[in-house]
């Protein structure tokens, strides 16, 4: 396709930036490395916009969006029908993700020029950041499951490097290892699911796997396990991989600790890269989930509903500004998963469109929230919100942009989050009253914990700072202003005209009863936060005391981390790892040591046969001949 022949450069440019900045290292001037990396992602962004324009407006004219293979090569060939290819697949959801990833990445790169300029390892940071963008861009344009899996693992490596960027801090090292290890367990499920699916389907190719006519034969799978078909198990295992990346319960424990990385990295992880990968994975295989295994979609909906409520409750109790936003992301991703889980194909595809619409709008206001948090931390040098206050006087632009993001994520019209969240609530309302009730409750909790954060930081009692706080430099403010504009206007995009479950226009409209209910609930949440936190008040402490164990448990994140430690240390290490270690030392190692000792003893005993003395060789020769002769004569007699 001549309109997309340049599309592979969108992915390749960040990789070239990673390689050049990474290999050149300290030889490049500090600012030049950052400008080089930023220029590369800027060009990728421009190319993404051109691709989106060509795809949505020039090639198909809002009719029936067909998948396009912009470029492809065969890497490994197994059989006539099974091979692994590397290429660029363009369809509505991949083109949408290219826009989201490249635009948010560009904003983060520009912001980082100011935020990281005094940091050691400046060049290393931009090298890793380029690798992160390359990995996610390669993931969303993958033409097949195996290519996606390779980039999926590269995303994991990139997050490990960036979360542990401050490697001098033990907390950062521990957080990076935690993120890497937890997601590896989830990715094992993903890999097993890929192998099962490819075994029965005979292909890794997304176009074939998601063709309703092409995978009709999968309905005939007779292999079952625990009452579920092999296809259902494959899709659930693949979802486990997505749940790990998207920090769904119970694989969420890495996400709050990941805040040890630089704040711009948190913005990229939460808004456009790692955490949304799981949503994209389910969306990419959605026709297979919807047609092939509705049971697996029920799992997606349940996990999404539980996670969105679980994380929202925890966010209401936290004191670290970045961890509040981390649990907020976890809750919003749960919203997206819930929408996918209650959705269907074609006419019943509201949840699908709503989920990806929320992913689209969420990218703007969540990136803005993290960059705003970075500007705040940059000014007051603390992450604890109760050590902040009155910052609206010192950071007026940060204050306004942060307020816009809070209104957007709270679902207040006409900000972007209102429109996408309304569609999710409508999809949940059409599916099941319990799911709708959870989603509506979370809408209120979201408004409460975001404005709790907002009022404490910007309107709370002014603290005594070591030095007067200051507004962020222009290079940090420009990305925040751009994202604030996106947080206002993104909701007016007729998203269903471009992205739907069957690649045909899906027209949506406001469900006024649902919309009014969500705005009322969000307003109650905002009013409660205003009443509790705009000024110092005994109400928060009294309320927390009255809630007793529930508040304490939520503040302790329901002790899931401690439960994992209990299971690993006291059960797995004690009753599994220790016996295995004993067997390894006393059986396997002892056996190998015995073999080596026996070999050494035999060699010591027979080495005299190679003494180099001619008379000894002659003696051995004639002795051998004599023994053979005597043996022969004995046998004859």
């Amino acid at each position: 396709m001549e309109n997309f022949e340049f599309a592979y450069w969108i992915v390749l440019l960040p990789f070239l930036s990673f390689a050049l900045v990474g290999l050149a290292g300290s030889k490049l001037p500090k600012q030049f490395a950052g400008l080089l990396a930023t220029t590369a992602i800027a060009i990728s962004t421009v190319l993404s916009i051109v691709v989106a324009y060509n795809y949505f407006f020039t090639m198909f004219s809002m009719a029936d969006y067909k998948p396009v293979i912009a470029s492809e090569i065969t890497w490994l060939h197994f059989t006539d029908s099974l091979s692994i290819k590397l290429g660029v697949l363009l369809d509505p959801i991949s083109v949408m993700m290219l826009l989201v990833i490249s635009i948010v990445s560009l904003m983060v790169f520009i912001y980082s020029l100011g935020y990281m300029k005094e940091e050691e390892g400046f060049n290393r940071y931009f090298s890793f950041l380029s690798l992160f963008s390359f990995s996610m861009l390669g993931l969303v344009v993958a033409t097949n499951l195996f290519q996606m899996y390779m980039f999926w693992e590269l995303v994991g490596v990139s997050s490990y490097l960036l979360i542990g960027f401050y490697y001098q801090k033990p907390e950062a090292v521990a957080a990076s290892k935690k993120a890497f290890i937890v997601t590896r367990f989830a990715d094992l499920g993903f890999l097993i699911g890929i192998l099962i699916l490819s075994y029965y389907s005979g292909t890794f190719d997304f176009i074939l796997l998601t063709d309703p006519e092409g995978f009709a034969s999968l309905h005939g799978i007779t292999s079952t396990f625990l009452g579920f078909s092999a296809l259902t198990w494959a899709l659930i295992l693949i979802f486990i991989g997505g749940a790990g990346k998207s920090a769904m319960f119970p694989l969420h424990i890495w996400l709050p600790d990941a805040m040890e990385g630089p704040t711009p990295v948190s913005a990229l992880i939460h808004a456009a890269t790692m955490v949304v990968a799981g949503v994209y994975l389910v969306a990419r295989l959605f026709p297979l989930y919807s047609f092939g295994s509705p049971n697996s979609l029920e799992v997606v909906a349940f996990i999404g509903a539980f996670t969105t409520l679980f994380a929202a409750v925890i966010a209401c109790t936290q004191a670290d500004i970045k961890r509040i936003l981390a649990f907020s992301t976890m809750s919003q991703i749960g919203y997206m998963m819930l929408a996918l889980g209650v959705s269907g194909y074609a006419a019943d595809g509201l949840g699908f469109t709503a989920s990806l619409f929320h992913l689209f709008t969420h990218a703007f206001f969540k990136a803005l929230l993290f960059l705003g948090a970075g500007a705040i931390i940059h000014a007051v040098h603390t992450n604890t919100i109760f050590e902040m206050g009155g910052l609206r006087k010192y950071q007026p632009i940060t204050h306004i942009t942060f307020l816009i993001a809070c209104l957007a994520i709270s679902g207040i019209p006409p900000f972007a989050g209102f429109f996408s969240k309304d569609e999710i609530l409508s999809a949940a309302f059409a599916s099941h009253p319990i799911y709708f009730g959870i989603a509506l409750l979370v809408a209120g909790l979201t408004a409460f914990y975001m404005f709790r954060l907002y009022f404490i930081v910007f309107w709370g009692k002014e603290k005594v700072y070591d030095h007067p706080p200051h507004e962020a430099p222009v290079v940090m403010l420009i990305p925040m202003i751009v994202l604030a504009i996106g947080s206002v206007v993104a909701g007016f995009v007729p998203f269903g005209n471009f992205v739907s479950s069957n690649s045909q226009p899906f027209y949506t409209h406001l469900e006024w009863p649902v919309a009014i209910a969500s705005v009322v609930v969000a307003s109650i949440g905002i009013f409660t936060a205003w009443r509790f936190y705009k000024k110092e008040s005994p109400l928060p402490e009294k309320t927390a005391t009255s809630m007793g164990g529930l508040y304490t448990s939520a503040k302790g994140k329901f002790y899931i981390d401690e439960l994992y430690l209990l299971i690993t240390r006291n059960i797995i290490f004690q009753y599994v790892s220790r016996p295995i270690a004993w067997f390894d030392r006393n059986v396997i190692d002892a056996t190998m040591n015995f073999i080596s000792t026996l070999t050494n003893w035999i060699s010591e005993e027979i080495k005299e046969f190679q003494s180099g003395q001619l008379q000894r060789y002659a003696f051995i020769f004639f002795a051998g001949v004599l023994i053979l002769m005597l043996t022969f004569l004995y046998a004859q007699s």
Side-chain angles (χ1 to χ4, degrees):
M1 288 287 181
E2 62 276 4
N3 287 349
F4 307 110
E5 58 186 6
F6 57 85
Y8 66 91
W9 283 105
I10 298 173
V11 180
L12 191 58
L13 283 169
F15 175 77
L16 295 176
S17 168
F18 154 71
L20 181 58
V21 175
L23 291 174
S26 58
K27 296 179 182 178
L28 288 176
K30 190 173 183 179
Q31 288 300 320
F32 178 76
L35 291 173
L36 177 65
T38 305
T39 302
I41 198 66
I43 297 173
S44 289
T45 303
V46 172
L47 294 179
S48 297
I49 294 171
V50 173
V51 164
Y53 179 81
N54 288 344
Y55 187 87
F56 287 123
F57 298 107
T58 302
M59 188 169 178
F60 296 114
S61 300
M62 296 176 65
D64 185 8
Y65 300 117
K66 303 290 186 184
V68 175
I69 302 295
S71 60
E72 190 173 53
I73 59 171
T74 300
W75 180 41
L76 296 174
H77 186 80
F78 300 112
T79 67
D80 292 339
S81 62
L82 187 62
S83 60
I84 297 177
K85 298 180 180 180
L86 301 177
V88 175
L89 170 62
L90 300 177
D91 70 349
I93 61 172
S94 66
V95 173
M96 180 273 293
M97 288 298 294
L98 284 178
L99 281 175
V100 169
I101 295 166
S102 58
I103 291 172
V104 173
S105 294
L106 177 59
M107 296 301 103
V108 170
F109 273 70
I110 295 172
Y111 182 94
S112 296
L113 291 173
Y115 189 87
M116 300 295 291
K117 69 176 183 179
E118 303 297 334
E119 296 285 351
E120 295 183 11
F122 183 84
N123 293 12
R124 173 168 56 91
Y125 170 83
F126 275 95
S127 176
F128 292 166
L129 209 59
S130 297
L131 177 63
F132 207 171
S133 297
F134 160 71
S135 304
M136 194 63 193
L137 289 167
L139 188 153
V140 299
V141 300
T143 61
N144 59 80
L145 267 171
F146 210 90
Q147 180 185 345
M148 176 182 273
Y149 184 76
M150 290 190 294
F151 281 98
W152 190 272
E153 295 305 309
L154 272 176
V155 169
V157 171
S158 307
S159 65
Y160 170 80
L161 294 172
L162 284 167
I163 293 169
F165 177 78
Y166 298 117
Y167 59 86
Q168 304 93 338
K169 295 172 57 180
E171 298 86 356
V173 174
S176 63
K177 290 191 294 184
K178 188 175 185 179
F180 192 77
I181 292 169
V182 171
T183 53
R184 291 295 70 70
F185 279 103
D187 292 352
L188 175 61
F190 186 18
L191 179 59
I192 295 171
I194 290 174
L195 296 176
I196 295 173
L197 184 58
S198 63
Y199 175 80
Y200 285 104
S201 66
T203 183
F204 295 115
D205 189 85
F206 282 132
I207 293 179
L208 295 177
L209 285 171
T210 56
D211 181 0
E213 297 178 1
F215 61 71
S217 60
L218 293 176
H219 289 285
I221 295 175
T222 57
S223 301
T224 60
F225 179 69
L226 297 179
F228 295 106
S229 69
L231 177 59
T232 297
W233 280 112
L235 293 175
I236 289 175
L237 286 166
I238 288 172
F239 171 66
I240 288 174
K245 276 285 189 291
S246 291
M248 295 289 95
F249 179 89
L251 299 171
H252 66 281
I253 58 171
W254 65 269
L255 189 63
D257 292 354
M259 299 303 96
E260 293 293 340
T263 303
V265 171
S266 302
L268 199 55
I269 288 176
H270 288 254
T273 54
M274 184 171 178
V275 179
V276 299
V279 177
Y280 179 77
L281 173 62
V282 177
R284 168 56 68 201
L285 294 174
F286 186 75
L288 197 56
Y289 277 91
S290 183
F291 276 115
S293 178
N295 289 331
S296 59
L297 272 186
E298 292 178 11
V299 173
V300 174
F302 177 79
I303 296 296
F306 183 86
T307 300
T308 191
L309 179 59
F310 176 82
V313 171
I314 295 176
C316 293
T317 65
Q318 300 301 297
D320 184 298
I321 186 170
K322 291 174 67 176
R323 280 173 168 76
I324 294 171
L325 297 180
F327 282 107
S328 170
T329 299
M330 182 178 160
S331 180
Q332 297 301 302
I333 299 295
Y335 244 70
M336 299 174 204
M337 288 293 191
L338 170 61
L340 285 173
V342 301
S343 187
Y345 191 76
D348 190 30
L350 175 60
F352 179 92
T353 300
S355 175
L356 293 181
F357 191 19
H358 198 56
L359 188 157
F360 177 73
T361 60
H362 176 265
F364 291 101
F365 53 73
K366 184 49 62 71
L368 176 55
L369 286 169
F370 270 105
L371 297 189
I376 293 166
I377 295 168
H378 194 263
V380 299
H381 305 292
T382 179
N383 287 26
T384 305
I385 59 175
F386 295 110
E387 296 176 6
M388 308 171 187
L391 289 180
R392 72 188 188 283
K393 301 176 184 177
Y394 302 98
Q395 297 183 295
I397 298 177
T398 299
H399 167 232
I400 295 299
T401 55
F402 202 90
L403 175 60
I404 290 172
C406 289
L407 290 167
I409 196 173
S410 300
I412 301 299
F415 299 94
F418 164 73
F419 298 96
S420 55
K421 187 174 288 188
D422 176 74
E423 291 186 7
I424 292 177
L425 288 167
S426 296
F429 181 76
S431 171
H432 198 286
I434 293 180
Y435 286 151
F436 174 71
I438 291 173
L440 192 62
L441 174 59
V442 169
L445 291 174
T446 301
F448 171 76
Y449 67 67
M450 286 311 310
F451 275 87
R452 168 181 178 263
L453 167 60
Y454 166 76
F455 285 124
I456 290 173
V457 171
F458 291 103
W459 290 87
K461 183 179 179 181
E462 188 174 333
K463 302 298 186 291
V464 178
Y465 299 107
D466 294 337
H467 52 82
H470 54 84
E471 184 59 278
V474 174
V475 73
M476 292 167 62
L477 290 177
I478 290 175
M480 293 166 61
I481 294 170
V482 171
L483 291 170
I485 294 171
S487 300
V488 175
V489 304
F492 294 99
V493 174
F495 196 80
N497 292 348
F498 306 107
V499 177
S500 65
S501 60
N502 61 352
S503 297
Q504 294 181 0
F506 185 92
Y507 300 105
T508 61
H509 61 277
L510 282 177
E511 296 284 351
W512 285 107
V514 173
I516 292 171
S518 68
V519 172
V520 169
V521 169
S523 300
I524 293 172
I526 294 172
F527 175 77
T528 305
W530 173 83
R531 183 71 179 83
F532 277 36
Y533 296 105
K534 186 175 183 292
K535 296 180 180 179
E536 286 193 354
S537 167
L539 282 175
E541 187 175 349
K542 287 181 179 179
T543 305
T545 303
S546 66
M547 298 178 70
L550 176 61
Y551 179 86
T552 305
S553 298
K555 191 173 183 179
K557 297 171 286 187
F558 292 101
Y559 308 107
I560 303 297
D561 289 77
E562 288 77 6
L563 179 61
Y564 270 104
L565 287 175
L566 174 67
I567 293 172
T568 53
R569 289 179 179 176
N570 295 348
I571 298 176
I572 297 177
F573 291 173
Q574 183 74 18
Y575 298 106
V576 178
S577 300
R578 184 169 293 179
I580 291 174
W582 181 92
F583 183 82
D584 181 63
R585 287 192 303 270
N586 295 282
V587 178
I588 296 177
D589 288 354
T591 300
M592 299 309 297
N593 291 336
F594 172 75
I595 292 172
S596 65
T597 301
L598 180 62
T599 302
N600 288 334
W601 179 81
I602 293 173
S603 65
E604 287 289 337
E605 293 300 319
I606 66 173
K607 69 181 181 181
E608 294 298 328
F609 287 114
Q610 296 292 333
S611 64
Q613 296 178 359
L614 183 60
Q615 60 272 30
R616 182 181 290 273
Y617 294 161
F619 170 77
I620 292 172
F621 174 76
F622 285 113
V625 170
L626 179 61
I627 291 170
L628 289 174
M629 290 177 61
L630 292 174
T631 302
F632 178 76
L633 292 173
Y634 178 79
Q636 291 293 323
S637 62

